[in-house]
Amino acid sequence: FPRFREGEFGGVFNLGPASNLPPVGSAPQANTKGKFWLVHLEEGVLALYVVCTHLGCLYRWQEAQNRFICPCHGSQFQKDGTYIQGPAPRSLDRFVVRMLDAAGNVLAET
Ligand code: FES
């Protein structure tokens, strides 16, 4: 079933054991193959689709402002993807992240 291909967009990304994730509170990490930003927060692991919810540009993490900002029309989002301001109609889209498979790995389903 195509949705469950591993390691390519539209499939499942194995992020390794939870202990290998970037530390809680660290800067989001871009996963270009999976087309998501990996965000590790107290409340869990998020995989945010890299495409802005406005007109499809690629937004960027801005560490100094502690938020994502889209260069096209200036939409801004919190680290967890929540909409802050700008023309985007909603918060960033999230992929499903399963915390553990049978081998103890964290999986993101793109
Ligand atoms: Fe991101 Fe317009 S495409 S703000």
Side-chain angles (χ1 to χ4, degrees):
F1 193 83
R3 174 156 173 75
F4 296 106
R5 286 174 306 188
E6 280 196 29
E8 46 186 307
F9 185 66
V12 174
F13 281 75
N14 186 340
L15 304 174
S19 57
N20 280 8
L21 291 170
V24 171
S26 59
Q29 291 186 354
N31 184 314
T32 50
K33 264 190 102 180
K35 300 186 183 178
F36 60 83
W37 285 91
L38 179 66
V39 185
H40 197 183
L41 302 171
E42 290 285 351
E43 53 267 42
V45 180
L46 303 177
L48 303 173
Y49 184 38
V50 294
V51 175
C52 180
T53 50
H54 182 223
L55 292 176
C57 288
L58 300 180
Y59 59 85
R60 303 290 305 179
W61 175 249
Q62 301 293 340
E63 183 69 26
Q65 288 126 301
N66 194 44
R67 61 187 57 181
F68 292 105
I69 300 178
C70 183
C72 288
H73 317 98
S75 289
Q76 301 188 14
F77 308 89
Q78 293 175 11
K79 200 179 206 175
D80 69 354
T82 302
Y83 172 85
I84 299 172
Q85 65 181 66
R90 64 179 189 276
S91 297
L92 297 174
D93 295 319
R94 297 178 175 186
F95 294 121
V96 171
V97 175
R98 283 188 279 142
M99 281 311 288
L100 296 173
D101 65 7
N105 295 310
V106 178
L107 305 175
E109 298 177 7
T110 62

